[in-house]
Amino acid sequence: MLCLLHRSFIKGAQSLYSFCFEMSSAVAPIFGVLGSCMGCMIFVENIAKQEPSAMNLMTFSTFLFIATHGIIFTSKFFTVGNKIPLKGYVKTVSMFFIVNVVNNQALNYHVPVPLHIIFRSGSLLATLVLSVLLVGKSYSPRKYISVIAITVGIVICTLATSSQGSDSGLSYEEASKHYREWSIGIAMLSFALLASAFLAICQQQMYEVYGKHPDEAMFITHFVALPFFLLMGGDILSAAEKLSASKPYPLLPFNIPSLWIDLLGSCILQYLCIKFVYQLNSRVDSLTVTLVVTLRKFLSLIVSIVYFKNPFTSQHWVGAILVFAGTLAFADIWGSSAPAKKIDEKKSQ
């Protein structure tokens, strides 16, 4: 009996040590995700508030920045061969381009950034629906309840934002135009939600066939999509002129337009955000990644409300809590056996 207790104690101590070591190695990526992703949202919202028509330019700049970095450091000026053939990227690149453009462009249709964050937090809803319909997966009742909570939360926040528009003091014609454009933005976010879930399925299928090569995938998905932006060339050039006309950045000695500084900041931080998420995914279990990403979205929501003084009523808070709590419940983040289970799996390999 004593021998059994001793062995159980040793095994528990080893599991605890392994978990603590794993988490200590993830400290830098966790703070990297929180800092870079939240910082990126500040730059994005600042651009969206001052020049909402620059969303296509912002998307193109991010793609160009990450693609250029990939050419230099990942493909080493195309001297390193791809581990995944280009034909394997076709669906992923197409959906990735569509999701990013539509999500960012929705900010041009009077969709407030807090609602934008909450909407994008509902990706589990679309993932569950498409996984059931396209892949034939089945889920536990708890996950369906979680998705219902997420759906209700998004609906509550959307209705709350809609009612704010009617009380804004606009004339009937202005309010009607504002509501029509806002409805287009909501439709775009809804479409992007489904497209994002389909993108996740495409990525999963690609990794199952060719293996996981995150650095290469990040480079190729951004680089191959660049020609698509030619379709938006006129809009991008027009937005560039508007950014150049913005007031000079106060902390620099040269008269550099402030919105160009914001755009550069968003590109750098967006790259770091993606990079740190990939690093985190390689060091901890998926539940921890879900917790960190959900925490990042919630903190970004708080920053958007406080820093940019966005209106956020008690109705919004109820909806937001339902969305984030439903996300954590769906991921079963409160299951205490996740770290130990992962350690046992590693030992059995």
Side-chain angles (χ1 to χ4, degrees):
M1 183 67 178
L2 289 174
C3 182
L4 182 62
L5 288 173
H6 179 70
R7 288 174 59 188
S8 299
F9 176 78
I10 294 296
K11 185 177 180 181
Q14 289 175 339
S15 298
L16 180 61
Y17 174 79
S18 299
F19 177 64
C20 290
F21 179 79
E22 179 187 65
M23 291 308 297
S24 65
S25 68
V27 169
I30 287 174
F31 281 99
V33 169
L34 295 177
S36 59
C37 295
M38 288 169 59
C40 178
M41 283 306 301
I42 291 176
F43 284 119
V44 168
E45 183 163 3
N46 195 43
I47 296 171
K49 281 185 175 297
Q50 295 188 53
E51 197 53 63
S53 63
M55 293 301 100
N56 283 332
L57 171 62
M58 186 181 68
T59 310
F60 168 71
S61 300
T62 302
F63 272 62
L64 181 62
F65 181 89
I66 295 176
T68 303
H69 182 278
I71 289 173
I72 299 170
F73 297 103
T74 303
S75 75
K76 302 186 187 304
F77 298 98
F78 304 105
T79 59
V80 177
N82 290 346
K83 297 179 177 63
I84 301 175
L86 288 178
K87 66 178 183 180
Y89 283 107
V90 172
K91 286 195 297 184
T92 301
V93 169
S94 302
M95 295 310 301
F96 185 74
F97 173 79
I98 291 170
V99 168
N100 277 272
V101 169
V102 173
N103 263 325
N104 287 336
Q105 193 62 25
L107 292 171
N108 196 22
Y109 288 88
H110 307 296
V111 176
V113 169
L115 181 61
H116 193 276
I117 293 171
I118 292 168
F119 235 95
R120 295 186 70 174
S121 300
S123 57
L124 287 175
L125 163 64
T127 300
L128 182 142
V129 172
L130 290 189
S131 295
V132 171
L133 295 178
L134 300 181
V135 187
K137 283 189 176 182
S138 58
Y139 294 90
S140 65
R142 176 178 178 177
K143 293 190 182 296
Y144 284 104
I145 294 172
S146 301
V147 167
I148 291 172
I150 293 170
T151 307
V152 172
I154 291 174
V155 170
I156 289 174
C157 287
T158 304
L159 293 176
T161 305
S162 174
S163 64
Q164 283 179 347
S166 62
D167 299 330
S168 58
L170 299 174
S171 67
Y172 177 78
E173 290 78 11
E174 291 173 330
S176 297
K177 181 184 177 184
H178 185 282
Y179 183 77
R180 283 196 303 271
E181 292 182 350
W182 178 82
S183 299
I184 292 172
I186 295 299
M188 293 173 72
L189 286 180
S190 301
F191 171 79
L193 208 58
L194 292 171
S196 179
F198 183 66
L199 169 63
I201 293 173
C202 292
Q203 287 176 325
Q204 183 179 349
Q205 291 173 341
M206 183 180 72
Y207 288 148
E208 287 173 355
V209 174
Y210 301 105
K212 292 186 177 182
H213 306 285
D215 288 338
E216 177 190 303
M218 185 167 71
F219 162 58
I220 293 295
T221 50
H222 287 85
F223 176 74
V224 176
L226 286 177
F228 292 121
F229 286 99
L230 290 173
L231 301 172
M232 312 168 188
D235 180 75
I236 290 173
L237 289 175
S238 175
E241 292 176 0
K242 292 177 181 177
L243 260 63
S244 297
S246 62
K247 60 183 179 182
Y249 197 78
L251 300 180
L252 295 178
F254 307 105
N255 291 329
I256 301 176
S258 58
L259 288 182
W260 279 113
I261 300 296
D262 288 341
L263 186 64
L264 177 62
S266 72
C267 290
I268 295 172
L269 291 175
Q270 177 71 13
Y271 165 76
L272 291 174
C273 178
I274 296 171
K275 189 73 174 177
F276 280 124
V277 169
Y278 275 127
Q279 286 185 10
L280 189 64
N281 209 21
S282 66
R283 298 186 187 185
V284 298
D285 57 276
S286 60
L287 299 185
T288 304
V289 176
T290 301
L291 176 60
V292 173
V293 171
T294 304
L295 177 61
R296 184 265 296 177
K297 290 178 180 177
F298 188 77
L299 292 176
S300 296
L301 179 67
I302 300 296
V303 170
S304 178
I305 296 166
V306 175
Y307 185 78
F308 289 98
K309 297 180 173 59
N310 284 307
F312 210 75
T313 64
S314 57
Q315 199 174 345
H316 284 99
W317 278 116
V318 170
I321 290 171
L322 283 172
V323 170
F324 290 113
T327 301
L328 297 179
F330 185 95
D332 198 19
I333 205 72
W334 294 288
S336 58
S337 60
K341 189 184 292 185
K342 185 180 178 186
I343 293 164
D344 291 340
E345 286 174 358
K346 285 183 178 178
K347 287 184 177 181
S348 64
Q349 289 177 350

